[in-house]
Amino acid sequence: MNDNLAQYIKRYVDISKEEISLFQSYLVSKTFKKKEQLLQSGEICRSRYFITSGCLRLYYIDQKGNDQIIHFGIENWWLTNYDSLLNKIPSHLIIEAVEQTQVLELKEEFVQDIYSKIPQIESVFRVVMERTYIASQRRIEYMFSLSSEEMLKEFVEQNPEFVQRIPQYMLASYLGITPEYLSLLRKKA
Amino acid sequence: MNDNLAQYIKRYVDISKEEISLFQSYLVSKTFKKKEQLLQSGEICRSRYFITSGCLRLYYIDQKGNDQIIHFGIENWWLTNYDSLLNKIPSHLIIEAVEQTQVLELKEEFVQDIYSKIPQIESVFRVVMERTYIASQRRIEYMFSLSSEEMLKEFVEQNPEFVQRIPQYMLASYLGITPEYLSLLRKKA
DNA sequence: TTTTACTTTTGACCATAATAAAAAACAAAA
DNA sequence: TTTTGTTTTTTATTATGGTCAAAAGTAAAA
């Protein structure tokens, strides 16, 4: 079925072909066009998405009506709104395709069942969670210790190819600055 | 042994008395005096700490020599530097007692062994990780959508008793502002 | 109780980044 | 190819929060 995901799982746990197939039987492949929403504001999030190609963004719309991007997801990343998913509360975050994107959808209703049938999958999700959390902590550190100019420099250096894929106003939103100020910073550099 | 922790675990999984005892046999109770460090800068973090009483802070020292607090830990919280712990890299974060603090130390070297002997403990740590990540995401949202004044108001409202326990300059550090500006904000309100 | 250390406040001045309103550049359709 | 919509740049003005230096207040120790 999907090789990316099988590779991904084998990186973290010992698992048989049969178990991988069983896990994959719970997943549904879906394709979203640019600007289509996988999760809408106000809706309770009921799935996790493994991105096989394309790019998603997780964002909300602030009081002034501007998008604030929390983060992006690209190939071989799991993306969801964990707060809404696990606490079963309506999401104020939106998940949207930045470009045409293919995902494997895992419905949350199956997850406990999967954990009991294939305990290694619970281990995989524990590790995914650990890594996701570490990324989030690093982001908080950057937000504190770097100026916008330094954050931009850092982000472009770390993600040179990705920067090409997204419009500049999305990069500005991710960095927490206005597109106008981003434009000014680029001119400066 | 420690009742807080047993209660904590039972909130998340079905577990027998014997399994809890076995888990607790891996833990060592330690007490730290105010300003004592559980993890020093440059050291690889090798333990997770469950706080039974007192308060810890996780922070780093920035280029200008100022403390930047990433977060606090209080009673019934697990605290560690996951990046250093899991990736086995030297920590630039420091874990320090804000007041006299008692913890249960869990050495990372035992963790895989514990997971295989008591799989429920892996589930507990998965859930801890999920909740910790959600808290981190919420913090990032606050940092983006609230002004310092609003963050202060929010934090004091959500943690009225805790605010009394820590010096103001630590609150300033946590909010990412200078103590001078915090003082000004308090006068304004 | 007096010294010493730590913490908070005050005020003057400066830097970073936001807002607003246009203009320009670019891309996509018709 | 012309229109329309989207994205980026420009400029002027304003607001938020930082820096520095000093004073005042508080707590702890000798």
PDB file of all heavy atoms in Angstrom, chain B residues 32-40 55-57 59 67 94-101 167 169-170, chain C residues 5-7, chain D residues 28:
ATOM      1  N   PHE B  32      15.464  18.594  47.127  1.00  0.00           N
ATOM      2  CA  PHE B  32      16.379  19.647  46.703  1.00  0.00           C
ATOM      3  C   PHE B  32      16.036  20.945  47.416  1.00  0.00           C
ATOM      4  O   PHE B  32      14.860  21.302  47.545  1.00  0.00           O
ATOM      5  CB  PHE B  32      16.290  19.854  45.185  1.00  0.00           C
ATOM      6  CG  PHE B  32      16.812  18.685  44.400  1.00  0.00           C
ATOM      7  CD1 PHE B  32      15.972  17.621  44.075  1.00  0.00           C
ATOM      8  CD2 PHE B  32      18.151  18.619  44.043  1.00  0.00           C
ATOM      9  CE1 PHE B  32      16.461  16.520  43.373  1.00  0.00           C
ATOM     10  CE2 PHE B  32      18.646  17.517  43.336  1.00  0.00           C
ATOM     11  CZ  PHE B  32      17.794  16.459  43.007  1.00  0.00           C
ATOM     12  N   LYS B  33      17.075  21.635  47.850  1.00  0.00           N
ATOM     13  CA  LYS B  33      16.871  22.935  48.494  1.00  0.00           C
ATOM     14  C   LYS B  33      16.690  24.016  47.428  1.00  0.00           C
ATOM     15  O   LYS B  33      17.136  23.847  46.292  1.00  0.00           O
ATOM     16  CB  LYS B  33      18.084  23.280  49.366  1.00  0.00           C
ATOM     17  CG  LYS B  33      18.112  22.522  50.689  1.00  0.00           C
ATOM     18  CD  LYS B  33      19.290  22.935  51.543  1.00  0.00           C
ATOM     19  CE  LYS B  33      20.603  22.428  50.950  1.00  0.00           C
ATOM     20  NZ  LYS B  33      21.756  22.598  51.875  1.00  0.00           N
ATOM     21  N   LYS B  34      16.068  25.094  47.803  1.00  0.00           N
ATOM     22  CA  LYS B  34      15.917  26.272  46.937  1.00  0.00           C
ATOM     23  C   LYS B  34      17.236  26.568  46.219  1.00  0.00           C
ATOM     24  O   LYS B  34      18.298  26.603  46.873  1.00  0.00           O
ATOM     25  CB  LYS B  34      15.521  27.458  47.833  1.00  0.00           C
ATOM     26  CG  LYS B  34      15.113  28.711  47.129  1.00  0.00           C
ATOM     27  CD  LYS B  34      14.558  29.704  48.145  1.00  0.00           C
ATOM     28  CE  LYS B  34      14.284  31.053  47.501  1.00  0.00           C
ATOM     29  NZ  LYS B  34      13.576  31.960  48.446  1.00  0.00           N
ATOM     30  N   LYS B  35      17.140  26.776  44.912  1.00  0.00           N
ATOM     31  CA  LYS B  35      18.293  27.106  44.043  1.00  0.00           C
ATOM     32  C   LYS B  35      19.225  25.937  43.727  1.00  0.00           C
ATOM     33  O   LYS B  35      20.179  26.093  42.961  1.00  0.00           O
ATOM     34  CB  LYS B  35      19.108  28.288  44.602  1.00  0.00           C
ATOM     35  CG  LYS B  35      18.304  29.572  44.603  1.00  0.00           C
ATOM     36  CD  LYS B  35      19.186  30.783  44.739  1.00  0.00           C
ATOM     37  CE  LYS B  35      18.306  32.033  44.767  1.00  0.00           C
ATOM     38  NZ  LYS B  35      19.026  33.249  45.095  1.00  0.00           N
ATOM     39  N   GLU B  36      18.970  24.759  44.296  1.00  0.00           N
ATOM     40  CA  GLU B  36      19.767  23.599  43.899  1.00  0.00           C
ATOM     41  C   GLU B  36      19.377  23.171  42.493  1.00  0.00           C
ATOM     42  O   GLU B  36      18.207  23.277  42.107  1.00  0.00           O
ATOM     43  CB  GLU B  36      19.535  22.426  44.863  1.00  0.00           C
ATOM     44  CG  GLU B  36      20.591  22.296  45.935  1.00  0.00           C
ATOM     45  CD  GLU B  36      20.496  20.958  46.655  1.00  0.00           C
ATOM     46  OE1 GLU B  36      19.584  20.793  47.501  1.00  0.00           O
ATOM     47  OE2 GLU B  36      21.315  20.067  46.361  1.00  0.00           O
ATOM     48  N   GLN B  37      20.356  22.676  41.722  1.00  0.00           N
ATOM     49  CA  GLN B  37      20.083  22.289  40.347  1.00  0.00           C
ATOM     50  C   GLN B  37      19.963  20.776  40.197  1.00  0.00           C
ATOM     51  O   GLN B  37      20.842  20.039  40.621  1.00  0.00           O
ATOM     52  CB  GLN B  37      21.184  22.821  39.430  1.00  0.00           C
ATOM     53  CG  GLN B  37      21.233  24.349  39.450  1.00  0.00           C
ATOM     54  CD  GLN B  37      22.099  24.937  38.371  1.00  0.00           C
ATOM     55  OE1 GLN B  37      22.889  24.236  37.730  1.00  0.00           O
ATOM     56  NE2 GLN B  37      21.956  26.240  38.151  1.00  0.00           N
ATOM     57  N   LEU B  38      18.884  20.334  39.543  1.00  0.00           N
ATOM     58  CA  LEU B  38      18.692  18.906  39.263  1.00  0.00           C
ATOM     59  C   LEU B  38      19.383  18.556  37.952  1.00  0.00           C
ATOM     60  O   LEU B  38      19.789  17.417  37.736  1.00  0.00           O
ATOM     61  CB  LEU B  38      17.207  18.573  39.147  1.00  0.00           C
ATOM     62  CG  LEU B  38      16.370  18.600  40.429  1.00  0.00           C
ATOM     63  CD1 LEU B  38      16.096  20.012  40.887  1.00  0.00           C
ATOM     64  CD2 LEU B  38      15.066  17.847  40.237  1.00  0.00           C
ATOM     65  N   LEU B  39      19.479  19.543  37.074  1.00  0.00           N
ATOM     66  CA  LEU B  39      20.158  19.363  35.789  1.00  0.00           C
ATOM     67  C   LEU B  39      20.943  20.623  35.504  1.00  0.00           C
ATOM     68  O   LEU B  39      20.407  21.725  35.566  1.00  0.00           O
ATOM     69  CB  LEU B  39      19.122  19.130  34.675  1.00  0.00           C
ATOM     70  CG  LEU B  39      19.666  19.085  33.241  1.00  0.00           C
ATOM     71  CD1 LEU B  39      20.568  17.875  33.020  1.00  0.00           C
ATOM     72  CD2 LEU B  39      18.512  19.083  32.228  1.00  0.00           C
ATOM     73  N   GLN B  40      22.237  20.429  35.202  1.00  0.00           N
ATOM     74  CA  GLN B  40      23.081  21.586  34.933  1.00  0.00           C
ATOM     75  C   GLN B  40      23.265  21.790  33.440  1.00  0.00           C
ATOM     76  O   GLN B  40      23.133  20.840  32.664  1.00  0.00           O
ATOM     77  CB  GLN B  40      24.456  21.367  35.594  1.00  0.00           C
ATOM     78  CG  GLN B  40      24.387  21.433  37.099  1.00  0.00           C
ATOM     79  CD  GLN B  40      25.717  21.075  37.722  1.00  0.00           C
ATOM     80  OE1 GLN B  40      26.228  19.965  37.508  1.00  0.00           O
ATOM     81  NE2 GLN B  40      26.286  22.001  38.469  1.00  0.00           N
ATOM     82  N   CYS B  55       8.385  23.247  43.850  1.00  0.00           N
ATOM     83  CA  CYS B  55       8.306  23.870  42.520  1.00  0.00           C
ATOM     84  C   CYS B  55       9.671  23.897  41.846  1.00  0.00           C
ATOM     85  O   CYS B  55      10.676  24.258  42.462  1.00  0.00           O
ATOM     86  CB  CYS B  55       7.762  25.295  42.680  1.00  0.00           C
ATOM     87  SG  CYS B  55       7.701  26.245  41.158  1.00  0.00           S
ATOM     88  N   LEU B  56       9.693  23.502  40.589  1.00  0.00           N
ATOM     89  CA  LEU B  56      10.920  23.541  39.789  1.00  0.00           C
ATOM     90  C   LEU B  56      10.742  24.517  38.639  1.00  0.00           C
ATOM     91  O   LEU B  56       9.621  24.816  38.240  1.00  0.00           O
ATOM     92  CB  LEU B  56      11.229  22.160  39.203  1.00  0.00           C
ATOM     93  CG  LEU B  56      11.438  20.997  40.163  1.00  0.00           C
ATOM     94  CD1 LEU B  56      11.679  19.708  39.376  1.00  0.00           C
ATOM     95  CD2 LEU B  56      12.603  21.273  41.104  1.00  0.00           C
ATOM     96  N   ARG B  57      11.864  25.000  38.110  1.00  0.00           N
ATOM     97  CA  ARG B  57      11.782  25.757  36.861  1.00  0.00           C
ATOM     98  C   ARG B  57      12.789  25.202  35.860  1.00  0.00           C
ATOM     99  O   ARG B  57      13.871  24.731  36.238  1.00  0.00           O
ATOM    100  CB  ARG B  57      12.005  27.251  37.074  1.00  0.00           C
ATOM    101  CG  ARG B  57      13.383  27.607  37.578  1.00  0.00           C
ATOM    102  CD  ARG B  57      13.518  29.120  37.758  1.00  0.00           C
ATOM    103  NE  ARG B  57      14.798  29.454  38.346  1.00  0.00           N
ATOM    104  CZ  ARG B  57      15.609  30.425  37.905  1.00  0.00           C
ATOM    105  NH1 ARG B  57      15.245  31.177  36.886  1.00  0.00           N
ATOM    106  NH2 ARG B  57      16.766  30.653  38.478  1.00  0.00           N
ATOM    107  N   TYR B  59      14.873  26.407  32.613  1.00  0.00           N
ATOM    108  CA  TYR B  59      15.236  27.685  31.987  1.00  0.00           C
ATOM    109  C   TYR B  59      16.606  27.615  31.338  1.00  0.00           C
ATOM    110  O   TYR B  59      17.351  26.651  31.541  1.00  0.00           O
ATOM    111  CB  TYR B  59      15.212  28.819  33.019  1.00  0.00           C
ATOM    112  CG  TYR B  59      16.332  28.771  34.042  1.00  0.00           C
ATOM    113  CD1 TYR B  59      17.452  29.595  33.920  1.00  0.00           C
ATOM    114  CD2 TYR B  59      16.269  27.896  35.127  1.00  0.00           C
ATOM    115  CE1 TYR B  59      18.489  29.556  34.847  1.00  0.00           C
ATOM    116  CE2 TYR B  59      17.290  27.855  36.061  1.00  0.00           C
ATOM    117  CZ  TYR B  59      18.395  28.684  35.922  1.00  0.00           C
ATOM    118  OH  TYR B  59      19.417  28.613  36.843  1.00  0.00           O
ATOM    119  N   ASP B  67      18.097  35.038  32.488  1.00  0.00           N
ATOM    120  CA  ASP B  67      17.340  33.783  32.528  1.00  0.00           C
ATOM    121  C   ASP B  67      16.138  33.875  31.625  1.00  0.00           C
ATOM    122  O   ASP B  67      15.438  34.887  31.610  1.00  0.00           O
ATOM    123  CB  ASP B  67      16.785  33.513  33.942  1.00  0.00           C
ATOM    124  CG  ASP B  67      17.878  33.253  34.953  1.00  0.00           C
ATOM    125  OD1 ASP B  67      19.058  33.364  34.593  1.00  0.00           O
ATOM    126  OD2 ASP B  67      17.530  32.933  36.105  1.00  0.00           O
ATOM    127  N   ILE B  94      18.480  24.351  32.179  1.00  0.00           N
ATOM    128  CA  ILE B  94      18.797  24.061  33.576  1.00  0.00           C
ATOM    129  C   ILE B  94      17.484  23.753  34.295  1.00  0.00           C
ATOM    130  O   ILE B  94      16.476  24.404  34.034  1.00  0.00           O
ATOM    131  CB  ILE B  94      19.475  25.293  34.222  1.00  0.00           C
ATOM    132  CG1 ILE B  94      20.801  25.606  33.516  1.00  0.00           C
ATOM    133  CG2 ILE B  94      19.680  25.095  35.725  1.00  0.00           C
ATOM    134  CD1 ILE B  94      21.311  27.020  33.754  1.00  0.00           C
ATOM    135  N   ILE B  95      17.510  22.722  35.142  1.00  0.00           N
ATOM    136  CA  ILE B  95      16.347  22.461  36.005  1.00  0.00           C
ATOM    137  C   ILE B  95      16.755  22.807  37.420  1.00  0.00           C
ATOM    138  O   ILE B  95      17.765  22.301  37.917  1.00  0.00           O
ATOM    139  CB  ILE B  95      15.882  20.992  35.925  1.00  0.00           C
ATOM    140  CG1 ILE B  95      15.476  20.624  34.491  1.00  0.00           C
ATOM    141  CG2 ILE B  95      14.706  20.751  36.884  1.00  0.00           C
ATOM    142  CD1 ILE B  95      15.046  19.170  34.316  1.00  0.00           C
ATOM    143  N   GLU B  96      15.991  23.663  38.045  1.00  0.00           N
ATOM    144  CA  GLU B  96      16.385  24.210  39.349  1.00  0.00           C
ATOM    145  C   GLU B  96      15.183  24.327  40.275  1.00  0.00           C
ATOM    146  O   GLU B  96      14.076  24.628  39.828  1.00  0.00           O
ATOM    147  CB  GLU B  96      17.002  25.598  39.107  1.00  0.00           C
ATOM    148  CG  GLU B  96      17.714  26.189  40.294  1.00  0.00           C
ATOM    149  CD  GLU B  96      18.266  27.574  39.977  1.00  0.00           C
ATOM    150  OE1 GLU B  96      19.255  27.686  39.243  1.00  0.00           O
ATOM    151  OE2 GLU B  96      17.656  28.553  40.447  1.00  0.00           O
ATOM    152  N   ALA B  97      15.437  24.115  41.557  1.00  0.00           N
ATOM    153  CA  ALA B  97      14.368  24.238  42.559  1.00  0.00           C
ATOM    154  C   ALA B  97      14.090  25.707  42.848  1.00  0.00           C
ATOM    155  O   ALA B  97      15.001  26.464  43.175  1.00  0.00           O
ATOM    156  CB  ALA B  97      14.769  23.510  43.836  1.00  0.00           C
ATOM    157  N   VAL B  98      12.831  26.100  42.715  1.00  0.00           N
ATOM    158  CA  VAL B  98      12.413  27.472  43.023  1.00  0.00           C
ATOM    159  C   VAL B  98      12.229  27.608  44.537  1.00  0.00           C
ATOM    160  O   VAL B  98      12.479  28.650  45.127  1.00  0.00           O
ATOM    161  CB  VAL B  98      11.096  27.818  42.297  1.00  0.00           C
ATOM    162  CG1 VAL B  98      10.536  29.152  42.744  1.00  0.00           C
ATOM    163  CG2 VAL B  98      11.293  27.791  40.785  1.00  0.00           C
ATOM    164  N   GLU B  99      11.783  26.525  45.140  1.00  0.00           N
ATOM    165  CA  GLU B  99      11.630  26.442  46.587  1.00  0.00           C
ATOM    166  C   GLU B  99      12.040  25.025  46.970  1.00  0.00           C
ATOM    167  O   GLU B  99      12.342  24.214  46.097  1.00  0.00           O
ATOM    168  CB  GLU B  99      10.171  26.704  46.985  1.00  0.00           C
ATOM    169  CG  GLU B  99       9.168  25.832  46.237  1.00  0.00           C
ATOM    170  CD  GLU B  99       7.713  26.267  46.404  1.00  0.00           C
ATOM    171  OE1 GLU B  99       7.372  27.428  46.087  1.00  0.00           O
ATOM    172  OE2 GLU B  99       6.915  25.418  46.849  1.00  0.00           O
ATOM    173  N   GLN B 100      12.076  24.700  48.247  1.00  0.00           N
ATOM    174  CA  GLN B 100      12.428  23.319  48.626  1.00  0.00           C
ATOM    175  C   GLN B 100      11.458  22.358  47.942  1.00  0.00           C
ATOM    176  O   GLN B 100      10.242  22.533  48.021  1.00  0.00           O
ATOM    177  CB  GLN B 100      12.368  23.169  50.151  1.00  0.00           C
ATOM    178  CG  GLN B 100      12.412  21.706  50.573  1.00  0.00           C
ATOM    179  CD  GLN B 100      13.235  21.485  51.814  1.00  0.00           C
ATOM    180  OE1 GLN B 100      14.243  22.165  52.052  1.00  0.00           O
ATOM    181  NE2 GLN B 100      12.817  20.517  52.625  1.00  0.00           N
ATOM    182  N   THR B 101      12.011  21.370  47.255  1.00  0.00           N
ATOM    183  CA  THR B 101      11.201  20.515  46.390  1.00  0.00           C
ATOM    184  C   THR B 101      11.539  19.042  46.555  1.00  0.00           C
ATOM    185  O   THR B 101      12.712  18.676  46.588  1.00  0.00           O
ATOM    186  CB  THR B 101      11.412  20.925  44.918  1.00  0.00           C
ATOM    187  OG1 THR B 101      11.019  22.291  44.754  1.00  0.00           O
ATOM    188  CG2 THR B 101      10.601  20.055  43.972  1.00  0.00           C
ATOM    189  N   PRO B 167       8.905  34.770  42.814  1.00  0.00           N
ATOM    190  CA  PRO B 167       9.268  36.185  42.690  1.00  0.00           C
ATOM    191  C   PRO B 167       8.799  36.749  41.344  1.00  0.00           C
ATOM    192  O   PRO B 167       8.690  36.017  40.359  1.00  0.00           O
ATOM    193  CB  PRO B 167      10.790  36.193  42.779  1.00  0.00           C
ATOM    194  CG  PRO B 167      11.236  34.787  42.668  1.00  0.00           C
ATOM    195  CD  PRO B 167      10.081  33.904  42.986  1.00  0.00           C
ATOM    196  N   TYR B 169      10.260  38.571  39.179  1.00  0.00           N
ATOM    197  CA  TYR B 169      11.172  38.533  38.034  1.00  0.00           C
ATOM    198  C   TYR B 169      11.112  37.172  37.330  1.00  0.00           C
ATOM    199  O   TYR B 169      11.392  37.074  36.141  1.00  0.00           O
ATOM    200  CB  TYR B 169      12.611  38.912  38.435  1.00  0.00           C
ATOM    201  CG  TYR B 169      13.312  37.907  39.310  1.00  0.00           C
ATOM    202  CD1 TYR B 169      13.972  36.805  38.769  1.00  0.00           C
ATOM    203  CD2 TYR B 169      13.318  38.051  40.684  1.00  0.00           C
ATOM    204  CE1 TYR B 169      14.611  35.885  39.578  1.00  0.00           C
ATOM    205  CE2 TYR B 169      13.956  37.147  41.506  1.00  0.00           C
ATOM    206  CZ  TYR B 169      14.601  36.067  40.946  1.00  0.00           C
ATOM    207  OH  TYR B 169      15.238  35.154  41.758  1.00  0.00           O
ATOM    208  N   MET B 170      10.699  36.143  38.058  1.00  0.00           N
ATOM    209  CA  MET B 170      10.524  34.838  37.403  1.00  0.00           C
ATOM    210  C   MET B 170       9.265  34.829  36.534  1.00  0.00           C
ATOM    211  O   MET B 170       9.249  34.229  35.464  1.00  0.00           O
ATOM    212  CB  MET B 170      10.427  33.712  38.436  1.00  0.00           C
ATOM    213  CG  MET B 170      11.769  33.341  39.022  1.00  0.00           C
ATOM    214  SD  MET B 170      11.690  31.754  39.872  1.00  0.00           S
ATOM    215  CE  MET B 170      13.283  31.795  40.709  1.00  0.00           C
TER     216      MET B 170
ATOM    217  P    DA C   5      27.048  41.381  49.931  1.00  0.00           P
ATOM    218  OP1  DA C   5      28.086  40.363  49.655  1.00  0.00           O
ATOM    219  OP2  DA C   5      27.138  42.742  49.331  1.00  0.00           O
ATOM    220  O5'  DA C   5      25.641  40.763  49.561  1.00  0.00           O
ATOM    221  C5'  DA C   5      25.151  39.627  50.284  1.00  0.00           C
ATOM    222  C4'  DA C   5      23.722  39.385  49.859  1.00  0.00           C
ATOM    223  O4'  DA C   5      22.894  40.449  50.380  1.00  0.00           O
ATOM    224  C3'  DA C   5      23.533  39.382  48.340  1.00  0.00           C
ATOM    225  O3'  DA C   5      22.803  38.214  48.008  1.00  0.00           O
ATOM    226  C2'  DA C   5      22.751  40.662  48.050  1.00  0.00           C
ATOM    227  C1'  DA C   5      21.994  40.863  49.370  1.00  0.00           C
ATOM    228  N9   DA C   5      21.622  42.241  49.666  1.00  0.00           N
ATOM    229  C8   DA C   5      22.419  43.354  49.637  1.00  0.00           C
ATOM    230  N7   DA C   5      21.791  44.471  49.970  1.00  0.00           N
ATOM    231  C5   DA C   5      20.492  44.048  50.231  1.00  0.00           C
ATOM    232  C6   DA C   5      19.332  44.738  50.630  1.00  0.00           C
ATOM    233  N6   DA C   5      19.294  46.051  50.844  1.00  0.00           N
ATOM    234  N1   DA C   5      18.200  44.021  50.800  1.00  0.00           N
ATOM    235  C2   DA C   5      18.233  42.702  50.594  1.00  0.00           C
ATOM    236  N3   DA C   5      19.269  41.935  50.212  1.00  0.00           N
ATOM    237  C4   DA C   5      20.370  42.679  50.051  1.00  0.00           C
ATOM    238  P    DC C   6      22.499  37.814  46.465  1.00  0.00           P
ATOM    239  OP1  DC C   6      22.682  36.353  46.367  1.00  0.00           O
ATOM    240  OP2  DC C   6      23.217  38.749  45.568  1.00  0.00           O
ATOM    241  O5'  DC C   6      20.943  38.106  46.352  1.00  0.00           O
ATOM    242  C5'  DC C   6      20.066  37.618  47.372  1.00  0.00           C
ATOM    243  C4'  DC C   6      18.740  38.332  47.237  1.00  0.00           C
ATOM    244  O4'  DC C   6      18.895  39.726  47.577  1.00  0.00           O
ATOM    245  C3'  DC C   6      18.156  38.307  45.826  1.00  0.00           C
ATOM    246  O3'  DC C   6      16.873  37.718  45.953  1.00  0.00           O
ATOM    247  C2'  DC C   6      18.093  39.777  45.407  1.00  0.00           C
ATOM    248  C1'  DC C   6      18.015  40.474  46.763  1.00  0.00           C
ATOM    249  N1   DC C   6      18.448  41.894  46.846  1.00  0.00           N
ATOM    250  C2   DC C   6      17.526  42.844  47.335  1.00  0.00           C
ATOM    251  O2   DC C   6      16.399  42.462  47.667  1.00  0.00           O
ATOM    252  N3   DC C   6      17.912  44.142  47.435  1.00  0.00           N
ATOM    253  C4   DC C   6      19.146  44.510  47.079  1.00  0.00           C
ATOM    254  N4   DC C   6      19.465  45.797  47.210  1.00  0.00           N
ATOM    255  C5   DC C   6      20.099  43.562  46.586  1.00  0.00           C
ATOM    256  C6   DC C   6      19.715  42.282  46.480  1.00  0.00           C
ATOM    257  P    DT C   7      15.952  37.383  44.652  1.00  0.00           P
ATOM    258  OP1  DT C   7      15.062  36.264  45.027  1.00  0.00           O
ATOM    259  OP2  DT C   7      16.783  37.336  43.439  1.00  0.00           O
ATOM    260  O5'  DT C   7      15.060  38.696  44.578  1.00  0.00           O
ATOM    261  C5'  DT C   7      14.074  38.930  45.590  1.00  0.00           C
ATOM    262  C4'  DT C   7      13.328  40.205  45.280  1.00  0.00           C
ATOM    263  O4'  DT C   7      14.212  41.321  45.403  1.00  0.00           O
ATOM    264  C3'  DT C   7      12.730  40.294  43.876  1.00  0.00           C
ATOM    265  O3'  DT C   7      11.315  40.309  44.061  1.00  0.00           O
ATOM    266  C2'  DT C   7      13.300  41.576  43.279  1.00  0.00           C
ATOM    267  C1'  DT C   7      13.792  42.323  44.515  1.00  0.00           C
ATOM    268  N1   DT C   7      14.964  43.247  44.351  1.00  0.00           N
ATOM    269  C2   DT C   7      14.810  44.563  44.730  1.00  0.00           C
ATOM    270  O2   DT C   7      13.771  45.023  45.169  1.00  0.00           O
ATOM    271  N3   DT C   7      15.931  45.341  44.563  1.00  0.00           N
ATOM    272  C4   DT C   7      17.161  44.940  44.078  1.00  0.00           C
ATOM    273  O4   DT C   7      18.091  45.721  43.978  1.00  0.00           O
ATOM    274  C5   DT C   7      17.258  43.533  43.710  1.00  0.00           C
ATOM    275  C7   DT C   7      18.540  42.998  43.167  1.00  0.00           C
ATOM    276  C6   DT C   7      16.164  42.766  43.861  1.00  0.00           C
TER     277       DT C   7
ATOM    278  P    DA D  28      13.451  36.006  53.740  1.00  0.00           P
ATOM    279  OP1  DA D  28      13.154  34.875  52.840  1.00  0.00           O
ATOM    280  OP2  DA D  28      12.692  36.209  55.000  1.00  0.00           O
ATOM    281  O5'  DA D  28      15.003  35.944  54.095  1.00  0.00           O
ATOM    282  C5'  DA D  28      15.970  36.099  53.053  1.00  0.00           C
ATOM    283  C4'  DA D  28      17.328  36.241  53.671  1.00  0.00           C
ATOM    284  O4'  DA D  28      17.521  37.607  54.131  1.00  0.00           O
ATOM    285  C3'  DA D  28      17.580  35.345  54.882  1.00  0.00           C
ATOM    286  O3'  DA D  28      18.852  34.771  54.712  1.00  0.00           O
ATOM    287  C2'  DA D  28      17.521  36.299  56.071  1.00  0.00           C
ATOM    288  C1'  DA D  28      18.052  37.575  55.442  1.00  0.00           C
ATOM    289  N9   DA D  28      17.651  38.830  56.073  1.00  0.00           N
ATOM    290  C8   DA D  28      16.418  39.179  56.576  1.00  0.00           C
ATOM    291  N7   DA D  28      16.364  40.400  57.054  1.00  0.00           N
ATOM    292  C5   DA D  28      17.658  40.882  56.864  1.00  0.00           C
ATOM    293  C6   DA D  28      18.258  42.122  57.166  1.00  0.00           C
ATOM    294  N6   DA D  28      17.618  43.136  57.735  1.00  0.00           N
ATOM    295  N1   DA D  28      19.564  42.271  56.838  1.00  0.00           N
ATOM    296  C2   DA D  28      20.216  41.256  56.252  1.00  0.00           C
ATOM    297  N3   DA D  28      19.756  40.044  55.915  1.00  0.00           N
ATOM    298  C4   DA D  28      18.457  39.929  56.257  1.00  0.00           C
TER     299       DA D  28
END
